[in-house]
Amino acid sequence: MDKFVNILFICLVALFAVSSVSAAENDTDILMNSNYQISSDTSNDDIQVILDNAQDGDTFEFTDKEYKNISLVVDRKVNIISKEKSVIYTSNQISDRAKSLNMDNSFGFYFTSNSCGSILSGIKLIASNSDYGIVADSADNITIKSCVITGGKDSVFVNNSDGIKLLNNNISKAKENGLKLNNVSNSLISKNAMSYNGRSGIETSNIYYCNITNNTVHHNKFNGISLFNKSMGNKIKYNLAYENPNGIYINSQSSNDVINSNTFTKNRRDTDYELGAFESGNGLLFGADFKTSKEGNPSRLEVKYNVLTHNEGYQAKNNPDLPTFKLGDNWFDSTDDADTFVCPMLLAGIMKMGTISVKNGIGLQMYDTEGNEVKEFGTFDTKVNVDGNQYTAKFVNGRATIDANLDPDKEYDIEVMIGDKPVKYNYKVASGEKDDNLDSQTSQNLDGERGLDGSSSQTQADSTESGASKGSGNLQNGISNSAHFANSDKSGVYGTNASGTYRDSSDNGESVMTNGDIEAGDASDGEVSEEGKAYEIVPPSKISKEITDTSGLVVLSIVSIMGMLIYGYWRKPEFE
């Protein structure tokens, strides 16, 4: 019996020890991570003191609706959040904490080099009283998401930083730029709206391997997007820029940059534009300082599969002091090179539009000048008329489909609006199951030929054809060398344009690398973050993240051992 008591005592001691260690570990986690509830009656100085004494991973939650005279230096890795969509008005004064760091500008939040990994989320920041709304200076891996930021000289200024993420923010009404990036690398600027800013929605200077994607940039005073100084390895894709003096202004020394699948449309002339009225109203504008590698060099700037339409000046315009530059294939709302409204100093491949057969509906497909389907493409809408019914076709990833409940045993003359011209196609619905689209390359017309010529309801479209026609419709393309100044929706003018005189050159200066070394830092591929990734309001901290807890297994093992010992003890006489 004494042996049994001793065994039971040992097991209980072991169980208590395991429980104590587990509790100590949990207590340590709780001590390391705090959640501070910041109410509106807490002064800015008091919040700053708490911030300065915080531990990495602490969370500051603004819990009330409105806060005034806020100016905070973030010198720790913290999470600053609001589930109440708190409105924070910045201070016009430079705080004592800012003065101690020799800062001479006012701001709402200032992230220092010690704040790497911090998150700011869910806050509406009104910075009309300060120089900046948010500053990240030498602060890596800062995330700013789901915020509304208005006012300031620049609403958001990122300087000398790496791995920045700006996601799903609304940035507006800055005196100068909505977002200014200076010497920034490996960063993701995605799904933001930048509007009504005094200069550009996004302005960059010396950016490397950044992704600027899926942003909407409109009603800014200078440009939608402006690139200055050096740019290397950046991907500017799927952005929508409209109602700016220019959609995008490229005035940088560009190497390995990609400007693809954007929509630059309805950008307007501005008589007060700082570069002069004749430099405004363009979808894409090259500045006098633009340089890139020679044609054929893999580091040369790539510009293709963009939608460049309905801009009041040119769809794309080169600087007159630069050599002729060759763009890739883009869509200019026309298959006629005389109606593309491209500057004479640019060569441009004109994308083609064709039909594809789909079950019960109408399919439209974009093609490059070689007749290949384009699957990464900007977005735009066009009108389609069938038997007196009008539909809106929206292009997504190079294709538009309309569910028009058409008879598969009948051929239709459909009319697609390209620019202000209706273009007719002979169309037959696919005969397979609904949404079982036929490959456009094998789609056949009744006469056995691929690709009937589309025709205007007025006159036959006049353009240069090249490449193999695919689908049951016209596929026309060429090299645009036209120019026009009245290309707005209001003007309705899409006439024949005068061709310019070309220089016998398609490169735009010597390779950018000859103009000085580009210090790009980490030469990553620019894929900073998987697009579409969901982010939590508060990232997992030590208090909230899942901890691998083995104490249950240990307890179960001890109980099992106890059971076996007890069983063995009582059965001992049977074996003696």
Side-chain angles (χ1 to χ4, degrees):
M1 186 68 180
D2 290 339
K3 290 182 179 179
F4 172 75
V5 173
N6 290 335
I7 291 170
L8 181 61
F9 176 77
I10 292 171
C11 293
L12 290 173
V13 169
L15 180 63
F16 176 79
V18 170
S19 300
S20 299
V21 170
S22 178
E25 288 176 350
N26 289 333
D27 288 342
T28 301
D29 286 330
I30 292 172
L31 290 174
M32 289 182 65
N33 295 272
S34 299
N35 191 320
Y36 297 96
Q37 307 290 308
I38 307 299
S39 62
S40 58
D41 57 1
T42 308
S43 70
N44 186 79
D45 289 342
D46 288 342
I47 300 173
Q48 186 66 69
V49 169
I50 301 171
L51 268 173
D52 289 342
N53 289 280
Q55 300 294 320
D56 284 350
D58 285 354
T59 296
F60 287 75
E61 182 179 351
F62 286 79
T63 56
D64 290 341
K65 290 294 185 183
E66 187 175 280
Y67 298 76
K68 293 185 177 180
N69 298 316
I70 297 298
S71 180
L72 298 169
V73 176
V74 183
D75 202 37
R76 298 284 189 275
K77 176 186 175 182
V78 295
N79 310 307
I80 301 173
I81 67 171
S82 173
K83 298 176 183 177
E84 301 297 324
K85 298 183 179 178
S86 299
V87 179
I88 296 177
Y89 292 87
T90 63
S91 173
N92 62 356
Q93 301 296 315
I94 301 174
S95 67
D96 291 338
R97 184 72 172 91
K99 291 177 182 177
S100 71
L101 297 174
N102 297 317
M103 299 176 185
D104 54 6
N105 294 112
S106 56
F107 49 80
F109 292 94
Y110 193 110
F111 292 89
T112 72
S113 59
N114 294 323
S115 68
C116 298
S118 291
I119 293 175
L120 178 67
S121 175
I123 286 172
K124 182 174 183 179
L125 188 68
I126 310 297
S128 53
N129 290 332
S130 59
D131 296 316
Y132 300 99
I134 299 170
V135 178
D137 189 10
S138 302
D140 297 340
N141 302 314
I142 303 298
T143 297
I144 302 169
K145 59 177 181 170
S146 303
C147 291
V148 176
I149 308 153
T150 65
K153 176 186 175 184
D154 299 315
S155 290
V156 180
F157 177 41
V158 181
N159 185 51
N160 297 326
S161 299
D162 181 273
I164 301 297
K165 296 184 182 70
L166 267 78
L167 309 170
N168 295 295
N169 301 290
N170 190 316
I171 302 173
S172 64
K173 300 179 181 178
K175 294 181 181 67
E176 294 191 4
N177 304 292
L179 168 63
K180 185 173 183 178
L181 304 174
N182 180 62
N183 196 27
V184 174
S185 59
N186 301 301
S187 294
L188 176 64
I189 315 300
S190 185
K191 299 180 181 178
N192 303 283
M194 284 86 163
S195 60
Y196 297 98
N197 297 292
R199 279 182 60 80
S200 297
I202 303 173
E203 181 175 297
T204 75
S205 176
N206 301 323
I207 60 168
Y208 311 102
Y209 305 100
C210 293
N211 286 354
I212 300 176
T213 62
N214 292 291
N215 301 287
T216 300
V217 190
H218 63 94
H219 290 93
N220 298 287
K221 290 291 187 181
F222 185 48
N223 303 299
I225 302 172
S226 298
L227 308 178
F228 292 100
N229 294 316
K230 295 177 182 178
S231 57
M232 174 185 284
N234 303 291
K235 296 180 181 178
I236 301 176
K237 302 176 70 174
Y238 303 111
N239 300 288
L240 169 62
Y242 65 93
E243 295 288 352
N244 309 283
N246 295 297
I248 185 169
Y249 178 56
I250 307 171
N251 200 34
S252 60
Q253 297 179 20
S254 173
S255 177
N256 292 298
D257 290 327
V258 169
I259 301 177
N260 289 355
S261 308
N262 302 281
T263 301
F264 302 125
T265 186
K266 297 182 180 178
N267 294 289
R268 303 306 186 196
R269 290 267 179 148
D270 184 354
T271 56
D272 296 325
Y273 186 62
E274 68 177 71
L275 299 180
F278 286 101
E279 294 299 292
S280 65
N282 307 294
L284 179 151
L285 175 66
F286 289 110
D289 292 331
F290 166 63
K291 289 184 181 296
T292 192
S293 300
K294 293 183 178 181
E295 188 173 357
N297 189 313
S299 66
R300 183 179 175 84
L301 170 68
E302 179 178 283
V303 181
K304 68 179 183 180
Y305 303 157
N306 299 288
V307 175
L308 294 154
T309 61
H310 299 300
N311 298 289
E312 282 190 339
Y314 290 106
Q315 308 305 348
K317 184 177 187 293
N318 201 358
N319 187 282
D321 294 330
L322 298 178
T324 301
F325 182 80
K326 185 177 180 180
L327 302 173
D329 296 348
N330 295 277
W331 176 248
F332 302 101
D333 215 7
S334 175
T335 56
D336 184 349
D337 67 337
D339 287 339
T340 54
F341 308 98
V342 174
C343 164
M345 298 295 297
L346 292 173
L347 295 173
I350 305 172
M351 292 178 62
K352 303 176 289 186
M353 182 190 296
T355 60
I356 54 173
S357 295
V358 296
K359 178 65 177 175
N360 286 354
I362 302 166
L364 299 174
Q365 175 67 49
M366 302 304 298
Y367 298 89
D368 63 19
T369 55
E370 299 298 323
N372 302 307
E373 288 188 8
V374 172
K375 296 182 179 179
E376 286 193 351
F377 181 60
T379 60
F380 77 99
D381 298 345
T382 192
K383 299 295 183 184
V384 179
N385 297 306
V386 185
D387 285 349
N389 298 314
Q390 188 176 83
Y391 302 89
T392 298
K394 185 177 183 64
F395 279 86
V396 178
N397 295 325
R399 178 171 292 189
T401 58
I402 300 170
D403 188 357
N405 197 28
L406 302 183
D407 186 347
D409 297 323
K410 180 181 176 181
E411 282 193 345
Y412 293 86
D413 288 328
I414 68 172
E415 201 172 67
V416 180
M417 296 301 295
I418 298 181
D420 66 342
K421 295 180 179 180
V423 177
K424 289 184 177 180
Y425 295 81
N426 181 262
Y427 185 79
K428 186 174 177 61
V429 179
S431 58
E433 295 296 327
K434 182 175 177 61
D435 295 330
D436 182 17
N437 297 346
L438 294 180
D439 186 339
S440 63
Q441 295 188 16
T442 61
S443 173
Q444 298 288 329
N445 296 317
L446 292 181
D447 61 3
E449 294 191 9
R450 295 184 184 180
L452 294 177
D453 288 338
S455 61
S456 168
S457 60
Q458 304 298 323
T459 58
Q460 178 74 21
D462 179 20
S463 74
T464 303
E465 290 193 31
S466 69
S469 294
K470 298 181 180 180
S472 53
N474 74 328
L475 297 174
Q476 299 174 320
N477 71 282
I479 298 297
S480 172
N481 58 3
S482 58
H484 203 279
F485 286 104
N487 190 33
S488 66
D489 290 337
K490 296 178 182 178
S491 71
V493 177
Y494 288 86
T496 302
N497 303 294
S499 299
T501 302
Y502 292 97
R503 301 183 192 181
D504 186 20
S505 171
S506 61
D507 74 278
N508 202 33
E510 295 181 357
S511 171
V512 60
M513 303 305 291
T514 65
N515 294 313
D517 293 332
I518 295 182
E519 297 176 357
D522 181 16
S524 74
D525 62 0
E527 295 295 333
V528 180
S529 174
E530 182 180 351
E531 229 169 285
K533 179 179 178 181
Y535 293 88
E536 299 296 330
I537 292 293
V538 184
S541 63
K542 292 180 182 179
I543 191 173
S544 63
K545 72 179 180 180
E546 184 179 353
I547 300 174
T548 304
D549 191 354
T550 59
S551 59
L553 181 60
V554 173
V555 171
L556 181 61
S557 300
I558 292 174
V559 171
S560 300
I561 293 170
M562 289 173 59
M564 288 187 291
L565 290 173
I566 293 170
Y567 179 79
Y569 179 83
W570 290 112
R571 286 184 55 83
K572 182 177 180 182
E574 297 180 12
F575 297 100
E576 291 179 345

